[in-house]
Short mmCIF file of all heavy atoms in Angstrom, two decimals:
data_model
loop_
_atom_site.label_atom_id
_atom_site.label_comp_id
_atom_site.label_asym_id
_atom_site.label_seq_id
_atom_site.Cartn_x
_atom_site.Cartn_y
_atom_site.Cartn_z
N ARG G 1 61.61 -47.26 -51.42
CA ARG G 1 60.70 -48.36 -50.90
C ARG G 1 61.24 -48.82 -49.59
O ARG G 1 62.36 -49.42 -49.61
CB ARG G 1 60.70 -49.52 -51.93
CG ARG G 1 59.64 -50.56 -51.59
CD ARG G 1 59.95 -51.81 -52.46
NE ARG G 1 58.77 -52.75 -52.48
CZ ARG G 1 58.89 -54.03 -52.60
NH1 ARG G 1 60.07 -54.61 -52.81
NH2 ARG G 1 57.68 -54.74 -52.62
N LEU G 2 60.45 -48.74 -48.60
CA LEU G 2 60.78 -49.26 -47.26
C LEU G 2 60.26 -50.58 -47.10
O LEU G 2 59.17 -50.94 -47.58
CB LEU G 2 60.24 -48.33 -46.20
CG LEU G 2 60.58 -46.86 -46.32
CD1 LEU G 2 60.02 -46.03 -45.07
CD2 LEU G 2 62.11 -46.59 -46.40
N SER G 3 61.01 -51.44 -46.37
CA SER G 3 60.61 -52.80 -46.12
C SER G 3 60.57 -53.05 -44.57
O SER G 3 61.45 -52.39 -43.83
CB SER G 3 61.56 -53.85 -46.73
OG SER G 3 61.54 -53.71 -48.19
N CYS G 4 59.72 -53.92 -44.16
CA CYS G 4 59.73 -54.30 -42.76
C CYS G 4 59.53 -55.67 -42.54
O CYS G 4 58.60 -56.35 -43.11
CB CYS G 4 58.52 -53.50 -42.15
SG CYS G 4 58.16 -54.01 -40.33
N GLU G 5 60.54 -56.32 -41.96
CA GLU G 5 60.46 -57.75 -41.76
C GLU G 5 59.95 -58.02 -40.30
O GLU G 5 60.50 -57.59 -39.33
CB GLU G 5 61.82 -58.35 -41.83
CG GLU G 5 61.90 -59.88 -41.74
CD GLU G 5 63.29 -60.42 -41.97
OE1 GLU G 5 64.22 -59.69 -42.24
OE2 GLU G 5 63.40 -61.68 -41.95
N ALA G 6 58.89 -58.81 -40.22
CA ALA G 6 58.19 -59.03 -38.93
C ALA G 6 58.55 -60.47 -38.54
O ALA G 6 58.66 -61.46 -39.31
CB ALA G 6 56.78 -58.88 -39.06
N SER G 7 58.65 -60.62 -37.22
CA SER G 7 58.85 -61.98 -36.64
C SER G 7 58.42 -62.03 -35.10
O SER G 7 58.18 -60.97 -34.55
CB SER G 7 60.38 -62.41 -36.71
OG SER G 7 61.08 -61.51 -35.97
N GLY G 8 58.19 -63.25 -34.70
CA GLY G 8 57.93 -63.44 -33.32
C GLY G 8 56.36 -63.38 -32.97
O GLY G 8 56.04 -63.37 -31.79
N PHE G 9 55.56 -63.31 -34.00
CA PHE G 9 54.12 -63.36 -33.82
C PHE G 9 53.38 -63.88 -34.97
O PHE G 9 54.03 -63.96 -36.09
CB PHE G 9 53.55 -61.92 -33.42
CG PHE G 9 53.86 -60.86 -34.45
CD1 PHE G 9 52.86 -60.52 -35.36
CD2 PHE G 9 55.11 -60.18 -34.54
CE1 PHE G 9 53.00 -59.56 -36.39
CE2 PHE G 9 55.32 -59.21 -35.49
CZ PHE G 9 54.30 -58.95 -36.45
N ILE G 10 52.15 -64.18 -34.78
CA ILE G 10 51.30 -64.65 -35.98
C ILE G 10 50.92 -63.47 -36.79
O ILE G 10 50.10 -62.52 -36.39
CB ILE G 10 50.11 -65.41 -35.57
CG1 ILE G 10 50.52 -66.59 -34.75
CG2 ILE G 10 49.24 -65.78 -36.67
CD1 ILE G 10 49.40 -67.37 -34.05
N PHE G 11 51.49 -63.28 -37.98
CA PHE G 11 51.43 -62.08 -38.85
C PHE G 11 49.94 -61.70 -39.03
O PHE G 11 49.58 -60.53 -38.98
CB PHE G 11 52.17 -62.24 -40.12
CG PHE G 11 52.35 -61.01 -40.89
CD1 PHE G 11 53.30 -60.12 -40.57
CD2 PHE G 11 51.64 -60.81 -42.01
CE1 PHE G 11 53.43 -58.89 -41.24
CE2 PHE G 11 51.82 -59.68 -42.81
CZ PHE G 11 52.74 -58.74 -42.45
N ASN G 12 49.12 -62.73 -39.34
CA ASN G 12 47.76 -62.42 -39.78
C ASN G 12 46.98 -61.87 -38.67
O ASN G 12 45.85 -61.39 -38.77
CB ASN G 12 47.15 -63.66 -40.30
CG ASN G 12 47.67 -64.00 -41.62
OD1 ASN G 12 48.37 -63.28 -42.26
ND2 ASN G 12 47.34 -65.29 -42.20
N ASN G 13 47.41 -61.99 -37.36
CA ASN G 13 46.75 -61.54 -36.23
C ASN G 13 46.92 -60.10 -35.87
O ASN G 13 46.35 -59.54 -35.03
CB ASN G 13 47.03 -62.40 -34.98
CG ASN G 13 46.50 -63.74 -35.02
OD1 ASN G 13 45.62 -64.09 -35.86
ND2 ASN G 13 46.86 -64.62 -34.15
N ALA G 14 47.96 -59.46 -36.57
CA ALA G 14 48.32 -58.15 -36.34
C ALA G 14 47.86 -57.12 -37.32
O ALA G 14 47.58 -57.47 -38.50
CB ALA G 14 49.90 -58.06 -36.14
N ILE G 15 47.60 -55.91 -36.86
CA ILE G 15 47.36 -54.79 -37.80
C ILE G 15 48.60 -54.03 -38.03
O ILE G 15 49.08 -53.35 -37.04
CB ILE G 15 46.22 -53.90 -37.10
CG1 ILE G 15 44.94 -54.74 -36.86
CG2 ILE G 15 45.95 -52.70 -38.07
CD1 ILE G 15 43.94 -53.96 -36.07
N MET G 16 49.06 -54.05 -39.24
CA MET G 16 50.33 -53.49 -39.53
C MET G 16 50.24 -51.99 -39.94
O MET G 16 49.22 -51.60 -40.51
CB MET G 16 51.06 -54.23 -40.66
CG MET G 16 51.27 -55.66 -40.39
SD MET G 16 52.18 -55.95 -38.92
CE MET G 16 53.77 -55.25 -39.28
N LYS G 17 51.19 -51.15 -39.69
CA LYS G 17 51.14 -49.68 -39.96
C LYS G 17 52.61 -49.19 -40.15
O LYS G 17 53.52 -49.74 -39.71
CB LYS G 17 50.41 -48.96 -38.80
CG LYS G 17 50.90 -49.31 -37.48
CD LYS G 17 49.88 -48.82 -36.43
CE LYS G 17 50.24 -49.30 -34.98
NZ LYS G 17 49.30 -48.92 -34.02
N TRP G 18 52.58 -47.93 -40.60
CA TRP G 18 53.82 -47.21 -40.72
C TRP G 18 53.60 -45.77 -40.12
O TRP G 18 52.55 -45.17 -40.28
CB TRP G 18 54.23 -46.99 -42.22
CG TRP G 18 54.71 -48.11 -42.91
CD1 TRP G 18 54.05 -49.02 -43.63
CD2 TRP G 18 56.09 -48.55 -42.90
NE1 TRP G 18 54.99 -50.04 -44.08
CE2 TRP G 18 56.21 -49.74 -43.69
CE3 TRP G 18 57.37 -48.14 -42.32
CZ2 TRP G 18 57.33 -50.47 -43.92
CZ3 TRP G 18 58.47 -48.76 -42.54
CH2 TRP G 18 58.44 -49.97 -43.32
N SER G 19 54.54 -45.39 -39.38
CA SER G 19 54.48 -43.95 -38.92
C SER G 19 55.87 -43.20 -39.16
O SER G 19 56.81 -43.90 -39.61
CB SER G 19 54.28 -43.94 -37.33
OG SER G 19 55.44 -44.42 -36.68
N ARG G 20 55.95 -42.00 -38.95
CA ARG G 20 57.19 -41.28 -39.15
C ARG G 20 57.30 -40.08 -38.08
O ARG G 20 56.26 -39.71 -37.64
CB ARG G 20 57.27 -40.62 -40.54
CG ARG G 20 56.33 -39.57 -40.88
CD ARG G 20 56.37 -39.12 -42.24
NE ARG G 20 55.36 -37.97 -42.58
CZ ARG G 20 55.12 -37.56 -43.79
NH1 ARG G 20 55.84 -38.11 -44.82
NH2 ARG G 20 54.32 -36.68 -44.02
N GLN G 21 58.46 -39.74 -37.88
CA GLN G 21 58.78 -38.63 -37.00
C GLN G 21 59.73 -37.74 -37.57
O GLN G 21 60.95 -38.02 -37.81
CB GLN G 21 59.33 -39.13 -35.56
CG GLN G 21 59.39 -38.01 -34.61
CD GLN G 21 59.47 -38.55 -33.15
OE1 GLN G 21 59.80 -39.64 -32.93
NE2 GLN G 21 59.24 -37.70 -32.24
N ALA G 22 59.31 -36.49 -37.87
CA ALA G 22 60.20 -35.47 -38.56
C ALA G 22 60.90 -34.76 -37.38
O ALA G 22 60.51 -34.79 -36.20
CB ALA G 22 59.42 -34.49 -39.24
N PRO G 23 62.07 -34.18 -37.71
CA PRO G 23 62.83 -33.47 -36.59
C PRO G 23 62.04 -32.43 -35.94
O PRO G 23 61.34 -31.58 -36.59
CB PRO G 23 63.98 -32.88 -37.42
CG PRO G 23 64.17 -33.69 -38.69
CD PRO G 23 62.75 -34.21 -39.01
N GLY G 24 62.00 -32.55 -34.65
CA GLY G 24 61.31 -31.56 -33.84
C GLY G 24 59.80 -31.69 -33.84
O GLY G 24 59.10 -30.79 -33.36
N LYS G 25 59.29 -32.75 -34.34
CA LYS G 25 57.75 -32.93 -34.45
C LYS G 25 57.46 -34.24 -33.73
O LYS G 25 58.25 -35.11 -33.60
CB LYS G 25 57.31 -32.86 -35.91
CG LYS G 25 57.52 -31.55 -36.62
CD LYS G 25 56.80 -31.53 -37.99
CE LYS G 25 56.96 -30.22 -38.62
NZ LYS G 25 56.27 -30.12 -39.98
N GLN G 26 56.13 -34.35 -33.51
CA GLN G 26 55.65 -35.57 -32.93
C GLN G 26 55.52 -36.65 -34.06
O GLN G 26 55.31 -36.41 -35.17
CB GLN G 26 54.25 -35.37 -32.36
CG GLN G 26 54.36 -34.51 -31.00
CD GLN G 26 53.00 -34.50 -30.36
OE1 GLN G 26 51.97 -34.60 -30.96
NE2 GLN G 26 53.08 -34.47 -28.94
N ARG G 27 55.52 -37.91 -33.57
CA ARG G 27 55.40 -39.05 -34.47
C ARG G 27 53.95 -39.02 -35.10
O ARG G 27 52.98 -38.65 -34.31
CB ARG G 27 55.63 -40.31 -33.83
CG ARG G 27 55.69 -41.52 -34.77
CD ARG G 27 55.96 -42.80 -34.12
NE ARG G 27 57.22 -42.95 -33.49
CZ ARG G 27 57.74 -43.99 -32.93
NH1 ARG G 27 57.04 -45.12 -33.09
NH2 ARG G 27 58.96 -44.05 -32.43
N GLU G 28 53.76 -39.29 -36.37
CA GLU G 28 52.53 -39.28 -36.99
C GLU G 28 52.30 -40.57 -37.70
O GLU G 28 53.24 -41.15 -38.36
CB GLU G 28 52.31 -38.04 -37.88
CG GLU G 28 53.27 -38.01 -39.04
CD GLU G 28 53.04 -36.82 -40.02
OE1 GLU G 28 52.03 -36.17 -39.80
OE2 GLU G 28 53.84 -36.56 -40.94
N LEU G 29 51.06 -41.04 -37.81
CA LEU G 29 50.73 -42.24 -38.53
C LEU G 29 50.65 -41.90 -40.06
O LEU G 29 49.96 -40.92 -40.28
CB LEU G 29 49.41 -42.75 -38.07
CG LEU G 29 48.94 -44.11 -38.67
CD1 LEU G 29 49.97 -45.17 -38.27
CD2 LEU G 29 47.45 -44.45 -38.27
N VAL G 30 51.40 -42.64 -40.77
CA VAL G 30 51.40 -42.38 -42.25
C VAL G 30 50.43 -43.25 -42.96
O VAL G 30 49.73 -42.78 -43.91
CB VAL G 30 52.82 -42.62 -42.78
CG1 VAL G 30 52.93 -42.51 -44.22
CG2 VAL G 30 53.83 -41.63 -42.13
N ALA G 31 50.46 -44.52 -42.70
CA ALA G 31 49.59 -45.54 -43.34
C ALA G 31 49.39 -46.69 -42.45
O ALA G 31 50.22 -47.04 -41.67
CB ALA G 31 50.20 -46.01 -44.64
N GLY G 32 48.26 -47.43 -42.64
CA GLY G 32 48.02 -48.57 -41.88
C GLY G 32 46.79 -49.38 -42.34
O GLY G 32 45.83 -48.74 -42.96
N PHE G 33 46.76 -50.65 -42.06
CA PHE G 33 45.61 -51.41 -42.52
C PHE G 33 44.46 -51.23 -41.59
O PHE G 33 44.60 -51.24 -40.37
CB PHE G 33 46.01 -52.92 -42.50
CG PHE G 33 46.80 -53.36 -43.73
CD1 PHE G 33 48.17 -53.39 -43.69
CD2 PHE G 33 46.16 -53.79 -44.87
CE1 PHE G 33 48.93 -53.81 -44.84
CE2 PHE G 33 46.84 -54.20 -46.03
CZ PHE G 33 48.27 -54.18 -45.94
N ILE G 34 43.34 -50.87 -42.24
CA ILE G 34 42.07 -50.80 -41.46
C ILE G 34 41.43 -52.22 -41.49
O ILE G 34 40.79 -52.65 -40.48
CB ILE G 34 41.18 -49.76 -42.18
CG1 ILE G 34 41.77 -48.37 -42.18
CG2 ILE G 34 39.83 -49.70 -41.49
CD1 ILE G 34 40.99 -47.37 -42.95
N SER G 35 41.51 -52.80 -42.62
CA SER G 35 41.04 -54.32 -42.86
C SER G 35 42.01 -54.94 -43.81
O SER G 35 42.80 -54.19 -44.33
CB SER G 35 39.55 -54.20 -43.35
OG SER G 35 39.58 -53.75 -44.61
N PRO G 36 41.85 -56.12 -44.10
CA PRO G 36 42.76 -56.75 -45.00
C PRO G 36 42.80 -56.12 -46.40
O PRO G 36 43.87 -56.22 -47.05
CB PRO G 36 42.20 -58.23 -45.09
CG PRO G 36 41.63 -58.49 -43.81
CD PRO G 36 41.05 -57.17 -43.35
N LEU G 37 41.76 -55.47 -46.77
CA LEU G 37 41.72 -54.89 -48.12
C LEU G 37 41.54 -53.38 -48.09
O LEU G 37 41.52 -52.74 -49.14
CB LEU G 37 40.54 -55.50 -48.91
CG LEU G 37 40.70 -56.96 -49.22
CD1 LEU G 37 39.41 -57.38 -50.02
CD2 LEU G 37 41.89 -57.28 -49.93
N ARG G 38 41.58 -52.77 -46.86
CA ARG G 38 41.53 -51.25 -46.79
C ARG G 38 42.73 -50.79 -46.02
O ARG G 38 43.01 -51.27 -45.02
CB ARG G 38 40.11 -50.88 -46.17
CG ARG G 38 39.00 -51.14 -46.95
CD ARG G 38 37.81 -50.60 -46.22
NE ARG G 38 37.86 -49.19 -45.96
CZ ARG G 38 37.14 -48.50 -44.98
NH1 ARG G 38 36.32 -49.22 -44.22
NH2 ARG G 38 37.26 -47.20 -44.75
N ILE G 39 43.28 -49.70 -46.58
CA ILE G 39 44.39 -49.12 -45.95
C ILE G 39 44.16 -47.63 -45.78
O ILE G 39 43.65 -46.99 -46.65
CB ILE G 39 45.64 -49.30 -46.89
CG1 ILE G 39 46.02 -50.71 -47.07
CG2 ILE G 39 46.85 -48.58 -46.27
CD1 ILE G 39 47.09 -51.01 -48.06
N PHE G 40 44.42 -47.22 -44.58
CA PHE G 40 44.40 -45.69 -44.20
C PHE G 40 45.72 -44.96 -44.64
O PHE G 40 46.78 -45.56 -44.49
CB PHE G 40 44.19 -45.50 -42.73
CG PHE G 40 44.63 -44.21 -42.20
CD1 PHE G 40 43.75 -43.09 -42.25
CD2 PHE G 40 45.87 -43.98 -41.74
CE1 PHE G 40 44.14 -41.88 -41.74
CE2 PHE G 40 46.39 -42.79 -41.24
CZ PHE G 40 45.45 -41.70 -41.28
N TYR G 41 45.53 -43.85 -45.23
CA TYR G 41 46.71 -43.03 -45.62
C TYR G 41 46.43 -41.61 -45.03
O TYR G 41 45.34 -41.05 -45.14
CB TYR G 41 46.94 -42.93 -47.10
CG TYR G 41 47.35 -44.18 -47.78
CD1 TYR G 41 46.36 -44.99 -48.47
CD2 TYR G 41 48.55 -44.63 -47.76
CE1 TYR G 41 46.76 -46.17 -49.04
CE2 TYR G 41 49.04 -45.79 -48.36
CZ TYR G 41 48.14 -46.49 -48.96
OH TYR G 41 48.49 -47.73 -49.59
N ASP G 42 47.47 -41.12 -44.48
CA ASP G 42 47.31 -39.68 -44.00
C ASP G 42 47.22 -38.74 -45.26
O ASP G 42 47.76 -39.10 -46.35
CB ASP G 42 48.63 -39.29 -43.24
CG ASP G 42 48.52 -37.90 -42.70
OD1 ASP G 42 47.86 -37.66 -41.71
OD2 ASP G 42 49.12 -36.96 -43.29
N ASP G 43 46.52 -37.66 -45.07
CA ASP G 43 46.29 -36.81 -46.29
C ASP G 43 47.57 -36.32 -46.90
O ASP G 43 47.66 -36.17 -48.12
CB ASP G 43 45.42 -35.59 -45.88
CG ASP G 43 43.94 -35.94 -45.60
OD1 ASP G 43 43.54 -37.01 -46.07
OD2 ASP G 43 43.36 -35.16 -44.93
N SER G 44 48.62 -36.22 -46.14
CA SER G 44 49.85 -35.73 -46.65
C SER G 44 50.56 -36.68 -47.58
O SER G 44 51.47 -36.16 -48.37
CB SER G 44 50.77 -35.32 -45.52
OG SER G 44 51.14 -36.46 -44.77
N VAL G 45 50.14 -37.89 -47.63
CA VAL G 45 50.83 -38.89 -48.43
C VAL G 45 49.92 -39.56 -49.47
O VAL G 45 50.39 -40.37 -50.29
CB VAL G 45 51.53 -39.96 -47.60
CG1 VAL G 45 52.52 -39.22 -46.57
CG2 VAL G 45 50.62 -40.94 -46.91
#
């Protein structure tokens, strides 16, 4: 379980997301909020 602590901005104004970068590969988006109740997930996860 990964955690992310955010500070320095109004949290509700931001669109939060997670990405990853495997060795030798480009960074890819793993998951992210599309709306407050909808989350995008990459097919691989």
Side-chain angles (χ1 to χ4, degrees):
R1 187 193 195 209
L2 304 184
S3 299
C4 172
E5 183 175 2
S7 62
F9 61 98
I10 299 174
F11 191 75
N12 289 351
N13 288 351
I15 299 171
M16 303 303 296
K17 51 193 171 183
W18 287 94
S19 68
R20 68 184 177 191
Q21 187 162 19
K25 295 188 177 181
Q26 288 189 328
R27 188 183 296 194
E28 61 178 354
L29 185 65
V30 172
F33 279 95
I34 300 173
S35 68
L37 296 179
R38 286 183 62 201
I39 300 173
F40 158 85
Y41 293 100
D42 185 77
D43 285 345
S44 64
V45 307

